[in-house]
Amino acid sequence: MLLDSSIWPKIHGGSTHFPVALSIAAALFESAAFLLPETSSQKPRLHAAGYFAILLAGAGTFPAVLSGLVIAEGKPLGRDVLLLHHLFVWPAFALLAGLAVWRALAGERPGAFGVYLAILCLTAVLTSAAGYWGGELLLNSSAGAAAVASPALVEQGRRFFLASCSHCHGDDARGDEGPDLHGLKISNARIAVTIKRGVKGEMPAFSKKYGDPEIAALTAFVRSLSPGRAAQTTAGKPAALD
């Protein structure tokens, strides 16, 4: 890979804000222009603002979508909250790209403006919904990191560990074919990603076997073996967990 895998979530998190905010701004500018009388001096300025906003929003979708695909390992849908996120992302992406092309060809005042405005408002709703479910993904990840304090979640994770991981790491997680999981110096997020994706040639991926709640429980259990290290990270290769 040209970039370290830890960079992609940062690129995705930063780039997704722009198409969401700019599509909403474009819808607001164009709606205001639509409501003003034709004689208003503000009408052309609002159309111009909407024009540039939708062009920038359309351009901004590409780094957001590409970085998201890298994080999802090329899977366009996924499971659980990720599936809900993607069900809004893809139509929003298609509409934003289409609106940007339409506007680039039509100029600052598109023809069939009523149709354009209706599609633009729908697109703003879709991008907002995609952003909402993206936030839920982040909150779920944070909840999984914080859930180490919950004995019930740790115990649930221990059961998953015994069922799927102990044959490599040992029942006490002290290591066998796989490494000792006590004292890991990696973040909760890295633990969860490693469980989902595995490590090539060393550990299978569990993304098909376990959903986000189960992976959060496994993460909580593994973290309980190394208390006090939840905020630490490593720039090296993720430790194999199976």
Side-chain angles (χ1 to χ4, degrees):
M1 292 181 63
L2 297 178
L3 295 176
D4 185 87
S5 60
S6 64
I7 296 296
W8 291 107
K10 298 176 183 177
I11 295 175
H12 187 64
S15 60
T16 51
H17 291 82
F18 293 101
V20 174
L22 288 168
S23 63
I24 294 172
L28 291 174
F29 288 139
E30 298 291 11
S31 295
F34 179 75
L35 295 173
L36 287 175
E38 291 295 330
T39 56
S40 173
S41 61
Q42 298 300 317
K43 201 175 184 76
R45 297 176 183 177
L46 289 168
H47 280 306
Y51 170 78
F52 288 109
I54 197 62
L55 291 184
L56 291 172
T61 59
F62 288 93
V65 167
L66 290 175
S67 58
L69 279 174
V70 172
I71 295 170
E73 298 181 313
K75 298 174 183 176
L77 292 177
R79 296 176 55 188
D80 304 321
V81 178
L82 181 61
L83 174 61
L84 291 171
H85 176 57
H86 282 164
L87 288 176
F88 289 100
V89 163
W90 293 114
F93 170 63
L95 287 172
L96 269 177
L99 287 172
V101 171
W102 182 354
R103 202 60 188 273
L105 295 175
E108 292 187 3
R109 181 69 183 271
F113 182 70
V115 175
Y116 173 85
L117 180 58
I119 297 173
L120 176 58
C121 290
L122 172 62
T123 303
V125 171
L126 290 173
T127 56
S128 300
Y132 170 80
W133 287 112
E136 286 294 300
L137 275 173
L138 181 61
L139 288 174
N140 283 355
S141 175
S142 299
V148 65
S150 166
L153 194 73
V154 172
E155 174 58 24
Q156 183 185 36
R158 187 184 72 84
R159 292 197 299 269
F160 292 139
F161 176 86
L162 291 174
S164 300
C165 310
S166 61
H167 63 283
C168 282
H169 295 285
D171 290 347
D172 58 358
R174 287 292 180 184
D176 189 1
E177 294 179 19
D180 185 349
L181 300 181
H182 292 73
L184 292 179
K185 297 180 180 180
I186 61 176
S187 68
N188 287 5
R190 182 62 67 85
I191 292 172
V193 167
T194 305
I195 294 170
K196 285 183 177 181
R197 299 182 180 179
V199 178
K200 187 175 181 179
E202 299 179 31
M203 170 183 164
F206 285 95
S207 57
K208 292 183 179 179
K209 183 174 183 178
Y210 292 127
D212 291 336
E214 292 81 10
I215 288 175
L218 274 166
T219 300
F221 170 71
V222 173
R223 176 54 60 209
S224 73
L225 304 174
S226 310
R229 296 188 181 274
Q232 296 188 24
T233 59
T234 179
K237 187 179 180 180
L241 299 181
D242 202 317

